[in-house]
Amino acid sequence: MVTKPESKFTRRGVLRTLAAGTGAIAATSALPGLSGFAQAQSSAPIKIGFQVHRTGIGAAYGRWYNRTTEAAVKRINDMGGINGRPVELVAEDDGTDPKRGAEVVEKFATQHGCDIAFGTLFSHVVYGSAPRAGELKLPYFVVSEGHHVASGKLNRYTLQPGITDVKSQVQAMAPFVADNLGKKVTMIFPDFAFGHDHRDFFTAAIEAQGGQVVESIAIPPTETSFSKYFPRIPRETEVIYHVMVGPAVLTFVKELGEFFGPNSPEIFGFIDSLEAVDIKSPGLEFLEGTYFWEGNPRNAQADQSSHDKAYRAAVGVDDNGASTDDAQDVSTYSHMFGCWETLNIIKRGMETAGYQGPADRAKLIEAVEAMSDMPLSDDHPQGAKRFNGKTHQTFGHQYISKVTDGKLVVEHTTSIDDGLYEDEVDYTTQSF
Amino acid sequence: MDFGPHLLLASLEGAVTAAILALTAMGLSIVFGVMRVVNVAHGEFYMLGAVIAWWVTSLIGGHPAIGFILALGIAPLVVGLLAATADKLILQKINYDPDRTIVATIGLLYIIQQTTLMTFGPDARPVQPPFNTRLALPWFEYGENGFAMFWPWGLSITSYKLFVIIAAIGILTALWLVITRSKIGLIMRATQLDSETALAFGVPVERVYMWVFGLGAGLAAVGAVLVVPIQQAHYLMGHDPLLLAFITVIIGGLGSLPGTVIAAILIGMSDGIISVFFSPTLAKIIATLVVAMVLAFRPQGLLGRSAH
């Protein structure tokens, strides 16, 4: 016969232990130094509303933006938080949809009581959300690439301090394209704000180099098959310039290869067309010898900095740019560093401003606007940057890589000065 | 690219679109023809077919053809069974009331889409084609030395895309034979003509409805399995095929099978050709305009019969 063993715990005993434990935890958190976070005026966490593309066409970016952001927050908290307070992420899915983006920003401000909003990538979501952030007076730190911030179309509450914009990127690289690949260019780009930035600014930049865009092919961002667009590429084309985003990027690049077969013009792509895609996927062999813009080199280079090494390890990315847990899970390495760097800038801004709570939001923005040079460091593993407080836009280095034996090898690094342009706005003159 | 080769390429791309569209729209058309049900969830059955194809091929190692053939068998079967179950559990319970079936299938659309999102995830995933050789195509031109053959730049198709066209023709022919020549087809047609009389003659109408709904969804899944090596499986991929399939069956005539095929060829080819020479947006605008014209001047569609 099996007898039921008698429990060693009585209800009252358990309650007493729990009460004692709670008291002990409460006591330690009240003692400075013991809790891990030095006592500030408030020890409540700083809440960062993280607008993330978990679903919709930006999901692959969202997954990696999430991992990078969590790694950066962990590092900041391990170092003692911001102003002695821990950082807490409040993540909300915006569905890569401008309308939901604005709703999410509103939730951060009114429902979650976030200090700031942060993180989004797709330019149409930024466009949709920024006006609401301005109305709610919620600092909105975007990690997008569109020229929307620096163009002055948004407002003083929107900043892009951790990643360069398209205008700067294409201007810095146009000389390389014109000098090394050719002067007659056909552009293929997505038919929304981000793609139009490419069209407008690269056309201007290549003309400044004595080149010419012979055809511009705009493709709807939700398109799933591309062969029917390629016949519009004129035969005189010397260089194909491609930048595609969304879930169908692998199909896009594959069909580009199928279209040209063995006789292709020079190909210069933005790595956006291959973000989260393994370059060794079947059908992509034709990319060997072609060039890519990279925001941050996906493959660890021969001269890899200690900062890139530390950052890679913290985010869990191997030397090929894939997850250390799953070699098939390729990262969006050229963009996601922006999350890491932006969070470090937010930390520095809050510390400079002595940020205590939502009443100090304007002080935070002024502190960030006052920033200028950001040296290469563990806080800025992609490279040195120069922030322009008037336009709320940062400037930095761009990398041009050549596909060599299935790896992206950096051929040319542009200087910060290559990407500078005249200010189009002065946000600091706008009132809060 | 020169006009001639350019047009040929556009037509080939259009033919691939038309082939997939014919399969998808046929499923929608049969369901409406026999059951008078407008299935708004049709695009999601298509998407599910592609997702299951990815799942099957990723489980099977070895040559990609093995996984693909298995997917071509399993995905339509699973999707068909699922749809038949949905018919029994939902549509039968609401007596196929036209308004309520639309609402019910909209609900089904979201259930399938969100379940896929929660299990399969939001990423696009590729399926390797069983074979995929690039075939450069020649062109003939009359020059100084008479007719000469040359190989224009960019004029090519892949062997897999040709296979998709041929496979769709084969499947549609088989379907036509089943409907017109077999006993199953006879029962389907009897149910379509007059379900009450058919019931009186011992046709199990409810079961016929269930399997017709399954067959419709299965056809969408076949189209998706064929297309997934060209595109990729993604949880939002059902939108466009649903819209195009609706356009096709409205132009062809709801419930008319030959009309559906003709309309699919028209829409697919015009989509390919207009997209190449002008813009993809214009292709969609024209298709929608044609639908408006058909609804205004010939509401029963090209080959549809007018309502009694």
mmCIF file with all atom_site columns, all heavy atoms in Angstrom, chain B residues 21-36:
data_model
loop_
_atom_site.group_PDB
_atom_site.id
_atom_site.type_symbol
_atom_site.label_atom_id
_atom_site.label_alt_id
_atom_site.label_comp_id
_atom_site.label_asym_id
_atom_site.label_entity_id
_atom_site.label_seq_id
_atom_site.pdbx_PDB_ins_code
_atom_site.Cartn_x
_atom_site.Cartn_y
_atom_site.Cartn_z
_atom_site.occupancy
_atom_site.B_iso_or_equiv
_atom_site.pdbx_formal_charge
_atom_site.auth_seq_id
_atom_site.auth_comp_id
_atom_site.auth_asym_id
_atom_site.auth_atom_id
_atom_site.pdbx_PDB_model_num
ATOM 1   N N   . LEU B 1 21 ? -3.372  31.555 -61.423 1.00 0.00 ? 21 LEU B N   1
ATOM 2   C CA  . LEU B 1 21 ? -4.651  32.219 -61.213 1.00 0.00 ? 21 LEU B CA  1
ATOM 3   C C   . LEU B 1 21 ? -5.813  31.311 -61.620 1.00 0.00 ? 21 LEU B C   1
ATOM 4   O O   . LEU B 1 21 ? -6.843  31.257 -60.950 1.00 0.00 ? 21 LEU B O   1
ATOM 5   C CB  . LEU B 1 21 ? -4.671  33.518 -62.024 1.00 0.00 ? 21 LEU B CB  1
ATOM 6   C CG  . LEU B 1 21 ? -5.842  34.436 -61.800 1.00 0.00 ? 21 LEU B CG  1
ATOM 7   C CD1 . LEU B 1 21 ? -5.975  34.772 -60.333 1.00 0.00 ? 21 LEU B CD1 1
ATOM 8   C CD2 . LEU B 1 21 ? -5.673  35.715 -62.616 1.00 0.00 ? 21 LEU B CD2 1
ATOM 9   N N   . ALA B 1 22 ? -5.628  30.579 -62.711 1.00 0.00 ? 22 ALA B N   1
ATOM 10  C CA  . ALA B 1 22 ? -6.696  29.688 -63.179 1.00 0.00 ? 22 ALA B CA  1
ATOM 11  C C   . ALA B 1 22 ? -7.020  28.657 -62.101 1.00 0.00 ? 22 ALA B C   1
ATOM 12  O O   . ALA B 1 22 ? -8.193  28.392 -61.799 1.00 0.00 ? 22 ALA B O   1
ATOM 13  C CB  . ALA B 1 22 ? -6.276  29.010 -64.473 1.00 0.00 ? 22 ALA B CB  1
ATOM 14  N N   . LEU B 1 23 ? -5.960  28.090 -61.484 1.00 0.00 ? 23 LEU B N   1
ATOM 15  C CA  . LEU B 1 23 ? -6.185  27.082 -60.428 1.00 0.00 ? 23 LEU B CA  1
ATOM 16  C C   . LEU B 1 23 ? -6.900  27.704 -59.231 1.00 0.00 ? 23 LEU B C   1
ATOM 17  O O   . LEU B 1 23 ? -7.868  27.145 -58.698 1.00 0.00 ? 23 LEU B O   1
ATOM 18  C CB  . LEU B 1 23 ? -4.852  26.492 -59.975 1.00 0.00 ? 23 LEU B CB  1
ATOM 19  C CG  . LEU B 1 23 ? -4.168  25.530 -60.935 1.00 0.00 ? 23 LEU B CG  1
ATOM 20  C CD1 . LEU B 1 23 ? -2.784  25.192 -60.426 1.00 0.00 ? 23 LEU B CD1 1
ATOM 21  C CD2 . LEU B 1 23 ? -4.997  24.268 -61.079 1.00 0.00 ? 23 LEU B CD2 1
ATOM 22  N N   . THR B 1 24 ? -6.420  28.859 -58.796 1.00 0.00 ? 24 THR B N   1
ATOM 23  C CA  . THR B 1 24 ? -6.983  29.494 -57.606 1.00 0.00 ? 24 THR B CA  1
ATOM 24  C C   . THR B 1 24 ? -8.428  29.916 -57.848 1.00 0.00 ? 24 THR B C   1
ATOM 25  O O   . THR B 1 24 ? -9.321  29.646 -57.041 1.00 0.00 ? 24 THR B O   1
ATOM 26  C CB  . THR B 1 24 ? -6.153  30.743 -57.241 1.00 0.00 ? 24 THR B CB  1
ATOM 27  O OG1 . THR B 1 24 ? -4.781  30.440 -57.438 1.00 0.00 ? 24 THR B OG1 1
ATOM 28  C CG2 . THR B 1 24 ? -6.364  31.157 -55.825 1.00 0.00 ? 24 THR B CG2 1
ATOM 29  N N   . ALA B 1 25 ? -8.644  30.578 -59.009 1.00 0.00 ? 25 ALA B N   1
ATOM 30  C CA  . ALA B 1 25 ? -9.990  31.068 -59.304 1.00 0.00 ? 25 ALA B CA  1
ATOM 31  C C   . ALA B 1 25 ? -10.958 29.920 -59.530 1.00 0.00 ? 25 ALA B C   1
ATOM 32  O O   . ALA B 1 25 ? -12.140 30.003 -59.182 1.00 0.00 ? 25 ALA B O   1
ATOM 33  C CB  . ALA B 1 25 ? -9.944  31.974 -60.531 1.00 0.00 ? 25 ALA B CB  1
ATOM 34  N N   . MET B 1 26 ? -10.429 28.811 -60.086 1.00 0.00 ? 26 MET B N   1
ATOM 35  C CA  . MET B 1 26 ? -11.295 27.654 -60.315 1.00 0.00 ? 26 MET B CA  1
ATOM 36  C C   . MET B 1 26 ? -11.867 27.149 -58.999 1.00 0.00 ? 26 MET B C   1
ATOM 37  O O   . MET B 1 26 ? -13.054 26.815 -58.917 1.00 0.00 ? 26 MET B O   1
ATOM 38  C CB  . MET B 1 26 ? -10.472 26.553 -61.003 1.00 0.00 ? 26 MET B CB  1
ATOM 39  C CG  . MET B 1 26 ? -11.294 25.443 -61.549 1.00 0.00 ? 26 MET B CG  1
ATOM 40  S SD  . MET B 1 26 ? -12.450 26.075 -62.758 1.00 0.00 ? 26 MET B SD  1
ATOM 41  C CE  . MET B 1 26 ? -11.388 26.241 -64.161 1.00 0.00 ? 26 MET B CE  1
ATOM 42  N N   . GLY B 1 27 ? -11.040 27.102 -57.968 1.00 0.00 ? 27 GLY B N   1
ATOM 43  C CA  . GLY B 1 27 ? -11.510 26.663 -56.653 1.00 0.00 ? 27 GLY B CA  1
ATOM 44  C C   . GLY B 1 27 ? -12.638 27.545 -56.157 1.00 0.00 ? 27 GLY B C   1
ATOM 45  O O   . GLY B 1 27 ? -13.683 27.072 -55.695 1.00 0.00 ? 27 GLY B O   1
ATOM 46  N N   . LEU B 1 28 ? -12.442 28.845 -56.312 1.00 0.00 ? 28 LEU B N   1
ATOM 47  C CA  . LEU B 1 28 ? -13.448 29.808 -55.855 1.00 0.00 ? 28 LEU B CA  1
ATOM 48  C C   . LEU B 1 28 ? -14.739 29.634 -56.661 1.00 0.00 ? 28 LEU B C   1
ATOM 49  O O   . LEU B 1 28 ? -15.846 29.672 -56.135 1.00 0.00 ? 28 LEU B O   1
ATOM 50  C CB  . LEU B 1 28 ? -12.884 31.219 -56.059 1.00 0.00 ? 28 LEU B CB  1
ATOM 51  C CG  . LEU B 1 28 ? -13.537 32.361 -55.314 1.00 0.00 ? 28 LEU B CG  1
ATOM 52  C CD1 . LEU B 1 28 ? -13.369 32.175 -53.823 1.00 0.00 ? 28 LEU B CD1 1
ATOM 53  C CD2 . LEU B 1 28 ? -12.898 33.681 -55.730 1.00 0.00 ? 28 LEU B CD2 1
ATOM 54  N N   . SER B 1 29 ? -14.566 29.419 -57.960 1.00 0.00 ? 29 SER B N   1
ATOM 55  C CA  . SER B 1 29 ? -15.699 29.323 -58.875 1.00 0.00 ? 29 SER B CA  1
ATOM 56  C C   . SER B 1 29 ? -16.522 28.065 -58.618 1.00 0.00 ? 29 SER B C   1
ATOM 57  O O   . SER B 1 29 ? -17.756 28.103 -58.611 1.00 0.00 ? 29 SER B O   1
ATOM 58  C CB  . SER B 1 29 ? -15.166 29.335 -60.304 1.00 0.00 ? 29 SER B CB  1
ATOM 59  O OG  . SER B 1 29 ? -16.218 29.510 -61.196 1.00 0.00 ? 29 SER B OG  1
ATOM 60  N N   . ILE B 1 30 ? -15.841 26.940 -58.395 1.00 0.00 ? 30 ILE B N   1
ATOM 61  C CA  . ILE B 1 30 ? -16.567 25.686 -58.136 1.00 0.00 ? 30 ILE B CA  1
ATOM 62  C C   . ILE B 1 30 ? -17.383 25.819 -56.854 1.00 0.00 ? 30 ILE B C   1
ATOM 63  O O   . ILE B 1 30 ? -18.554 25.436 -56.803 1.00 0.00 ? 30 ILE B O   1
ATOM 64  C CB  . ILE B 1 30 ? -15.572 24.502 -58.021 1.00 0.00 ? 30 ILE B CB  1
ATOM 65  C CG1 . ILE B 1 30 ? -15.049 24.135 -59.401 1.00 0.00 ? 30 ILE B CG1 1
ATOM 66  C CG2 . ILE B 1 30 ? -16.209 23.309 -57.362 1.00 0.00 ? 30 ILE B CG2 1
ATOM 67  C CD1 . ILE B 1 30 ? -14.071 22.998 -59.401 1.00 0.00 ? 30 ILE B CD1 1
ATOM 68  N N   . VAL B 1 31 ? -16.765 26.364 -55.826 1.00 0.00 ? 31 VAL B N   1
ATOM 69  C CA  . VAL B 1 31 ? -17.464 26.515 -54.548 1.00 0.00 ? 31 VAL B CA  1
ATOM 70  C C   . VAL B 1 31 ? -18.708 27.389 -54.727 1.00 0.00 ? 31 VAL B C   1
ATOM 71  O O   . VAL B 1 31 ? -19.787 27.069 -54.244 1.00 0.00 ? 31 VAL B O   1
ATOM 72  C CB  . VAL B 1 31 ? -16.524 27.109 -53.476 1.00 0.00 ? 31 VAL B CB  1
ATOM 73  C CG1 . VAL B 1 31 ? -17.288 27.568 -52.250 1.00 0.00 ? 31 VAL B CG1 1
ATOM 74  C CG2 . VAL B 1 31 ? -15.481 26.086 -53.083 1.00 0.00 ? 31 VAL B CG2 1
ATOM 75  N N   . PHE B 1 32 ? -18.544 28.476 -55.484 1.00 0.00 ? 32 PHE B N   1
ATOM 76  C CA  . PHE B 1 32 ? -19.715 29.325 -55.689 1.00 0.00 ? 32 PHE B CA  1
ATOM 77  C C   . PHE B 1 32 ? -20.735 28.628 -56.575 1.00 0.00 ? 32 PHE B C   1
ATOM 78  O O   . PHE B 1 32 ? -21.939 28.639 -56.298 1.00 0.00 ? 32 PHE B O   1
ATOM 79  C CB  . PHE B 1 32 ? -19.327 30.669 -56.308 1.00 0.00 ? 32 PHE B CB  1
ATOM 80  C CG  . PHE B 1 32 ? -20.517 31.555 -56.463 1.00 0.00 ? 32 PHE B CG  1
ATOM 81  C CD1 . PHE B 1 32 ? -20.996 32.270 -55.380 1.00 0.00 ? 32 PHE B CD1 1
ATOM 82  C CD2 . PHE B 1 32 ? -21.209 31.623 -57.664 1.00 0.00 ? 32 PHE B CD2 1
ATOM 83  C CE1 . PHE B 1 32 ? -22.131 33.054 -55.500 1.00 0.00 ? 32 PHE B CE1 1
ATOM 84  C CE2 . PHE B 1 32 ? -22.341 32.398 -57.788 1.00 0.00 ? 32 PHE B CE2 1
ATOM 85  C CZ  . PHE B 1 32 ? -22.803 33.113 -56.704 1.00 0.00 ? 32 PHE B CZ  1
ATOM 86  N N   . GLY B 1 33 ? -20.249 27.986 -57.651 1.00 0.00 ? 33 GLY B N   1
ATOM 87  C CA  . GLY B 1 33 ? -21.152 27.353 -58.604 1.00 0.00 ? 33 GLY B CA  1
ATOM 88  C C   . GLY B 1 33 ? -22.048 26.322 -57.939 1.00 0.00 ? 33 GLY B C   1
ATOM 89  O O   . GLY B 1 33 ? -23.265 26.333 -58.113 1.00 0.00 ? 33 GLY B O   1
ATOM 90  N N   . VAL B 1 34 ? -21.424 25.442 -57.157 1.00 0.00 ? 34 VAL B N   1
ATOM 91  C CA  . VAL B 1 34 ? -22.192 24.341 -56.566 1.00 0.00 ? 34 VAL B CA  1
ATOM 92  C C   . VAL B 1 34 ? -22.926 24.790 -55.301 1.00 0.00 ? 34 VAL B C   1
ATOM 93  O O   . VAL B 1 34 ? -24.085 24.452 -55.082 1.00 0.00 ? 34 VAL B O   1
ATOM 94  C CB  . VAL B 1 34 ? -21.253 23.147 -56.266 1.00 0.00 ? 34 VAL B CB  1
ATOM 95  C CG1 . VAL B 1 34 ? -22.012 22.019 -55.587 1.00 0.00 ? 34 VAL B CG1 1
ATOM 96  C CG2 . VAL B 1 34 ? -20.618 22.650 -57.548 1.00 0.00 ? 34 VAL B CG2 1
ATOM 97  N N   . MET B 1 35 ? -22.251 25.563 -54.457 1.00 0.00 ? 35 MET B N   1
ATOM 98  C CA  . MET B 1 35 ? -22.800 25.833 -53.120 1.00 0.00 ? 35 MET B CA  1
ATOM 99  C C   . MET B 1 35 ? -23.385 27.223 -52.968 1.00 0.00 ? 35 MET B C   1
ATOM 100 O O   . MET B 1 35 ? -24.001 27.522 -51.955 1.00 0.00 ? 35 MET B O   1
ATOM 101 C CB  . MET B 1 35 ? -21.696 25.674 -52.064 1.00 0.00 ? 35 MET B CB  1
ATOM 102 C CG  . MET B 1 35 ? -20.989 24.342 -52.098 1.00 0.00 ? 35 MET B CG  1
ATOM 103 S SD  . MET B 1 35 ? -19.466 24.385 -51.124 1.00 0.00 ? 35 MET B SD  1
ATOM 104 C CE  . MET B 1 35 ? -20.115 24.602 -49.488 1.00 0.00 ? 35 MET B CE  1
ATOM 105 N N   . ARG B 1 36 ? -23.129 28.100 -53.954 1.00 0.00 ? 36 ARG B N   1
ATOM 106 C CA  . ARG B 1 36 ? -23.543 29.505 -53.836 1.00 0.00 ? 36 ARG B CA  1
ATOM 107 C C   . ARG B 1 36 ? -22.914 30.149 -52.589 1.00 0.00 ? 36 ARG B C   1
ATOM 108 O O   . ARG B 1 36 ? -23.551 30.941 -51.893 1.00 0.00 ? 36 ARG B O   1
ATOM 109 C CB  . ARG B 1 36 ? -25.062 29.649 -53.778 1.00 0.00 ? 36 ARG B CB  1
ATOM 110 C CG  . ARG B 1 36 ? -25.790 29.069 -54.954 1.00 0.00 ? 36 ARG B CG  1
ATOM 111 C CD  . ARG B 1 36 ? -25.807 30.045 -56.095 1.00 0.00 ? 36 ARG B CD  1
ATOM 112 N NE  . ARG B 1 36 ? -25.429 29.369 -57.350 1.00 0.00 ? 36 ARG B NE  1
ATOM 113 C CZ  . ARG B 1 36 ? -25.383 29.974 -58.528 1.00 0.00 ? 36 ARG B CZ  1
ATOM 114 N NH1 . ARG B 1 36 ? -25.655 31.245 -58.633 1.00 0.00 ? 36 ARG B NH1 1
ATOM 115 N NH2 . ARG B 1 36 ? -25.027 29.309 -59.602 1.00 0.00 ? 36 ARG B NH2 1
#
